[in-house]
Amino acid sequence: MDGNTRRTRFENRVELEREFLTHVNQRFGRLAPLAGMTGDAIDAWQVRAREAGCGNEVDLVHDLLIEISKRAELIADHSRDVFDKEGRAMAGALDDLRVMLSKAMSMAR
């Protein structure tokens, strides 16, 4: 694996994280912006969102964000175990999480 492949995976992870940060912050950013996609950042966001009056509705979003964060980390992982036979990161489950997050965000309105 060359440096360009590693860089591309990292760039894909960053792009993915930005996508989800933007989506969450469009809904909750005025009251409780999500600052990052690490587990600690997501946990801190959940606390701030509850304190800001968003209530328990953020719990489902929180859980989805944690799972998305784990998937994004796998995308940047260089281990062969996280990739399919053609060398691509398993993206199907991530697409499912996108749909689930969209539904959760619409329910949280």
Side-chain angles (χ1 to χ4, degrees):
M1 175 184 315
D2 64 15
N4 288 334
T5 302
R6 288 186 183 131
R7 188 174 322 115
T8 300
R9 287 187 186 154
F10 176 76
E11 290 167 349
N12 288 343
R13 176 183 176 180
V14 170
E15 184 178 322
L16 178 69
E17 289 178 350
R18 284 182 182 160
E19 171 191 344
F20 288 107
L21 282 169
T22 299
H23 190 62
V24 171
N25 285 333
Q26 285 174 343
R27 169 64 181 94
F28 296 102
R30 192 173 53 82
L31 298 173
L34 177 60
M37 286 294 291
T38 65
D40 289 340
I42 295 166
D43 290 344
W45 167 80
Q46 181 184 31
V47 170
R48 285 192 322 276
R50 283 183 179 168
E51 289 173 352
C54 298
N56 293 334
E57 62 198 29
V58 299
D59 291 343
L60 178 57
V61 173
H62 167 273
D63 294 346
L64 290 168
L65 289 173
I66 291 291
E67 185 61 29
I68 290 165
S69 174
K70 290 176 186 176
R71 303 288 169 118
E73 187 174 335
L74 289 177
I75 288 172
D77 190 331
H78 302 298
S79 169
R80 290 177 175 233
D81 296 335
V82 299
F83 297 94
D84 66 15
K85 291 178 185 173
E86 286 79 38
R88 297 178 310 236
M90 305 286 206
L94 190 56
D95 290 337
D96 293 342
L97 288 169
R98 265 189 191 95
V99 170
M100 292 170 66
L101 182 64
S102 290
K103 288 180 182 177
M105 298 287 284
S106 66
M107 292 184 335
R109 292 188 188 267

